[in-house]
Amino acid sequence: MKYKGILTLIAVFFSVASFAQHIISGTVMSGDAPVKGLTIAVPGGESTVSDKDGHYSIDMGPKGKTIVFSGDGIISEYVTVKKKQTELNVEVKVTDMDMA
């Protein structure tokens, strides 16, 4: 009976650990300027928007591995995040809007 209680505690621990948050924060820049209003998304998960200073914070979820940075006038950027990574600063490239 004692082992049943220990096994229950172990099962609870692993189920909580599998749903642990993995928060990534950073800044999005284009040259020396912060990028405001850029969409930052985890495919199949959460999304957010960069603030006026280019800052963002997003929960990768238990299975998130990639963040997509996208928005009008920029080339979308796909970045793979490491397991224990907590900070990700990104430099995005502006598209050539004058192409005809």
Side-chain angles (χ1 to χ4, degrees):
M1 199 52 114
K2 183 177 182 181
Y3 292 111
K4 187 176 182 180
I6 292 172
L7 290 176
T8 301
L9 285 174
I10 291 171
V12 168
F13 171 77
F14 281 112
S15 65
V16 169
S18 68
F19 291 105
Q21 292 181 333
H22 180 185
I23 305 293
I24 300 287
S25 299
T27 304
V28 184
M29 303 289 287
S30 179
D32 292 334
V35 180
K36 172 187 172 183
L38 189 75
T39 299
I40 299 98
V42 176
E46 289 193 21
S47 66
T48 190
V49 178
S50 57
D51 69 12
K52 66 180 178 65
D53 297 317
H55 298 151
Y56 73 93
S57 182
I58 191 165
D59 185 354
M60 296 293 295
K63 296 185 180 182
K65 295 180 181 174
T66 304
I67 297 179
V68 181
F69 297 83
S70 61
D72 291 338
I74 67 117
I75 298 171
S76 295
E77 185 81 29
Y78 293 76
V79 181
T80 301
V81 176
K82 297 174 183 160
K83 275 187 176 183
K84 298 193 183 228
Q85 187 173 356
T86 59
E87 185 175 341
L88 178 62
N89 298 316
V90 175
E91 176 80 23
V92 294
K93 295 178 183 141
V94 177
T95 59
D96 186 0
M97 302 300 281
D98 294 331
M99 294 173 47

